Amino acid sequence: MPAGLTAALVLGRMRRRVALLDGDDPAHAPSEAVHGFLGHDGAPPADLRRIGREQLAPYTSVDTRMAEVGGASVEDGGFSLHVGGEVIAAAFVLLAAGMRYRPPAIDGIDRVWARGAYHCPYCHGWEVRNLPLAAHGADEMGVHLALLLTSLSGDVVLLTDGDDGLAPEQKAELLDAGIAIREQPIARLESEGDRLARVAFADGATEERAGLFFAPAFDPSPLIVELGCETDDSGAIVIDSEGRTSVPGLFAAGDATTEKKAVVLAAAAGSRAAYAINAELAHRRGAARIG
Ligand SMILES: Cc1cc2nc3c(=O)[nH]c(=O)nc-3n(C[C@H](O)[C@H](O)[C@H](O)COP(=O)(O)OP(=O)(O)OC[C@H]3O[C@@H](n4cnc5c(N)ncnc54)[C@H](O)[C@@H]3O)c2cc1C
């Protein structure tokens, strides 16, 4: 959403013809508020999308459609995008389809996803500051998350969920930072109202927690495979410094391209790619001009 909307804004202001095709199902839809985006801190995600679309309205060369791209292919000198029964031809494509965030398989987590169960302390840590917090995972990321939480709360526990994969030096680092470690398998997350209240363990013990932070898995868009661009081991699209993928004419921006996932970063990447696309169009011999 922020990557695609921002790119459309930049290209619209340069009077480029743009089809903005958006399935309207962005990553942060379950969230109550977007944080850390200057000028919009605390805004409901739906408001951010609405304002973004409203601000595109004056740029009449941008055709915004709430529509899912069902398939895409590389053609001679461009791309074909399948939307419903229609095929849209494009000289350039900016893939800003985001990633599907998949929380760990803990019973009850779906009920409190973005309501106490969070993927990012930068996005949601402030809202649970000074409250009992937990990080999840017996790996480098679990340790990293737990350490990040220590600036938000003096009561942090790392839950390894039955995994004894922590190295002795990781345990020492955690204990040194005042972080407790609980190694029992988790049975479920319990909620009060729509918020996380406590973690219940398989041995019957419970731990009252206002926030549980975890590293989600990420599922990329099938369009990446269809368009044949190179990805790294994490499934992220490989891009150059201006958003070009390994496929000529195909650019990418936002969550689909990086492990650093945030609204401001996606918006910046969309803007950067739009500058590059516009420059390529401007330098194209015989490029069609609007107006
Ligand atoms: C629960 C949650 C809370 C978050 N909170 C924050 C926060 O507070 N602050 C922050 O900075 N970041 C936050 N993030 C991260 C942030 O949402 C993402 O980094 C950002 O939205 C990425 O922008 P994007 O444009 O790359 O992708 P997205 O925002 O995910 O947008 C991708 C868009 O592409 C569309 N799409 C996908 N496939 C197709 C298709 N085939 N056809 C048409 N459209 C398609 C989707 O419908 C969607 O609208 C949060 C993430 C989550 C999951």
Side-chain angles (χ1 to χ4, degrees):
M1 182 275 304
L5 278 173
T6 307
L9 178 63
V10 170
L11 290 167
R13 289 180 52 77
M14 293 305 287
R15 307 181 74 201
R16 297 300 182 188
R17 271 204 301 274
V18 177
L20 176 60
L21 307 168
D22 186 2
D24 200 23
D25 185 17
H28 60 202
S31 191
E32 293 169 301
V34 172
H35 292 288
F37 188 24
L38 185 65
H40 299 280
D41 190 44
D47 284 8
L48 199 60
R49 297 202 293 284
R50 177 183 51 74
I51 293 166
R53 284 176 200 136
E54 282 171 7
Q55 292 189 342
L56 281 178
Y59 304 106
T60 51
S61 66
V62 179
D63 175 14
T64 303
R65 302 192 204 177
M66 295 299 108
E68 194 77 15
V69 177
S73 55
V74 183
E75 306 291 340
D76 221 10
F79 301 87
S80 288
L81 305 174
H82 297 260
V83 181
E86 195 184 344
V87 179
I88 297 176
F92 290 88
V93 167
L94 172 64
L95 196 51
M99 286 271 190
R100 181 79 41 206
Y101 293 49
R102 190 157 31 86
I106 303 173
D107 189 22
I109 202 164
D110 289 344
R111 271 198 306 280
V112 291
W113 173 215
R115 304 274 190 285
Y118 304 111
H119 75 289
C120 171
Y122 295 98
C123 302
H124 304 290
W126 171 263
E127 282 60 46
V128 287
R129 66 195 180 282
N130 294 326
L131 295 171
L133 302 179
H136 177 268
D139 55 9
E140 213 176 300
M141 186 51 85
V143 173
H144 177 63
L145 279 171
L147 291 170
L148 289 182
L149 295 178
T150 58
S151 73
L152 296 162
S153 171
D155 180 358
V156 178
V157 58
L158 177 67
L159 308 177
T160 70
D161 199 2
D163 186 335
D164 59 2
L166 285 181
E169 48 287 8
Q170 289 176 312
K171 288 187 181 179
E173 188 180 11
L174 291 163
L175 296 176
D176 193 44
I179 298 166
I181 303 169
R182 286 193 83 142
E183 297 186 311
Q184 307 100 303
I186 297 172
R188 68 191 165 275
L189 301 185
E190 294 181 352
S191 52
E192 277 169 15
D194 62 355
R195 306 212 158 252
L196 175 68
R198 71 193 63 80
V199 181
F201 297 94
D203 62 6
T206 59
E207 180 97 49
E208 301 290 316
R209 295 288 112 176
L212 170 78
F213 290 78
F214 55 81
F218 295 104
D219 297 327
S221 162
L223 294 177
I224 296 175
V225 174
E226 286 176 34
L227 290 167
C229 52
E230 189 190 340
T231 54
D232 66 17
D233 291 345
S234 74
I237 302 170
V238 175
I239 53 169
D240 73 6
S241 61
E242 295 189 282
R244 286 182 196 83
T245 72
S246 58
V247 176
L250 178 63
F251 287 69
D255 273 9
T257 64
T258 175
E259 63 171 18
K260 297 268 182 284
K261 295 178 171 43
V263 170
V264 68
L265 299 178
S271 178
R272 186 185 54 192
Y275 275 54
I277 292 170
N278 186 58
E280 289 200 18
L281 279 166
H283 285 268
R284 261 195 180 184
R285 190 186 292 269
R289 288 181 168 74
I290 297 175

